[in-house]
């Protein structure tokens, strides 16, 4: 999550993009509480969200699904969730990512998101334009990162985190995908 900065788009002018992202807590091998803060151009305040992300193992079919949903403090009373920064607005996010193995060298990625940015005064056509461009840039950077892992922080994280990456590799081998 803290490496999202390497592929999530950010621009200095206008100030737009990921400000910070970090894991609040690892709940299980494939379940995390996350906090993300975004910069948005003036006069709109920054945006903030606390989400629960959990992976679903369907590797017998060559599929991993990651489901994401906004959290409210009442849903996880045993955890202290961070409050938004001063002047930031907490947004609602629901969605997910589906990774489907295509071959030993490639996979198909599908994403679906429902985000309430809490900007009712901005015309939907402008929101859609920014979202489309932001998503396109993010997907292109994600693809570049995935194709060029050698020597990156991601490569060392993958090597150091056998709990999840080793598990996925083992399950893919068991299902004859690797």
């Amino acid at each position: 999550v803290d490496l999202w900065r390497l592929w999530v788009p950010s621009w200095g002018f206008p100030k737009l993009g990921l400000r910070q992202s970090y894991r609040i807590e690892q709940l299980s091998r494939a379940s995390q509480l996350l906090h993300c803060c975004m910069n948005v151009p003036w006069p709109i305040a920054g945006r903030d969200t606390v989400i629960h992300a959990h992976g679903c193992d369907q590797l017998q079919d060559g599929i991993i699904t990651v489901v994401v949903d906004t959290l409210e403090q009442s849903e996880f009373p045993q955890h202290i969730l961070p409050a938004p920064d001063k002047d930031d607005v907490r947004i609602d996010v629901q969605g997910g990512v589906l990774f489907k193995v295509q071959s030993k060298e490639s996979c198909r990625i599908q994403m679906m998101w429902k985000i309430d940015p809490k900007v009712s005064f901005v015309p939907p056509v402008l929101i859609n334009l920014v979202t489309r461009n932001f998503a396109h840039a993010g997907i292109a950077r994600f693809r570049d990162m995935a194709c060029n892992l050698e020597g990156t922080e991601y490569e060392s994280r993958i090597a150091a985190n056998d709990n999840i990456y080793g598990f996925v590799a083992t399950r893919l081998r068991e299902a004859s995908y690797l």
Side-chain angles (χ1 to χ4, degrees):
V1 173
D2 59 310
L3 296 182
W4 285 358
R5 64 182 160 71
L6 299 175
W7 63 270
V8 173
S10 292
W11 292 273
F13 186 81
K15 201 168 190 176
L16 175 65
L18 186 67
R19 183 180 337 130
Q20 71 170 343
S21 60
Y22 63 91
R23 179 178 41 235
I24 299 167
E25 185 170 343
Q26 185 79 35
L27 301 174
S28 68
R29 179 191 332 237
S31 180
Q32 305 177 22
L33 301 180
L34 310 173
H35 185 214
C36 303
C37 303
M38 287 74 64
N39 289 321
V40 183
W42 182 89
I44 302 171
R47 295 303 190 247
D48 166 284
T49 190
V50 175
I51 54 178
H52 179 214
H54 60 280
C56 303
D57 172 359
Q58 300 161 296
L59 289 169
Q60 69 279 0
D61 299 319
I63 296 172
I64 296 174
T65 306
V66 178
V67 179
V68 174
D69 198 4
T70 302
L71 281 181
E72 299 297 329
Q73 183 64 60
S74 60
E75 297 174 88
F76 276 80
Q78 68 275 29
H79 301 284
I80 305 289
L81 302 181
D85 289 348
K86 183 181 183 271
D87 300 326
D88 279 3
V89 174
R90 176 121 324 143
I91 63 171
D92 298 322
V93 177
Q94 294 175 316
V97 182
L98 181 133
F99 299 88
K100 170 73 172 133
V101 176
Q102 299 291 298
S103 71
K104 291 184 183 209
E105 291 82 30
S106 70
C107 74
R108 179 184 181 135
I109 300 174
Q110 294 176 283
M111 299 180 189
M112 184 179 294
W113 299 97
K114 177 183 174 188
I115 301 172
D116 178 0
K118 310 253 173 120
V119 287
S120 58
F121 54 89
V122 177
V125 69
L126 183 58
I127 292 172
N128 291 339
L129 175 70
V130 170
T131 302
R132 188 172 24 259
N133 288 311
F134 191 84
H136 178 73
I139 290 168
R141 288 178 71 179
F142 183 83
R143 184 183 312 117
D144 288 345
M145 286 296 304
C147 291
N148 301 297
L149 282 177
E150 192 172 323
T152 67
E153 289 180 76
Y154 273 108
E155 182 183 45
S156 57
R157 292 279 179 95
I158 290 168
N161 192 350
D162 194 56
N163 183 41
I164 187 66
Y165 296 108
F167 170 77
V168 170
T170 299
R171 292 283 290 121
L172 286 169
R173 274 192 295 281
E174 290 170 356
S176 301
Y177 288 103
L178 283 183

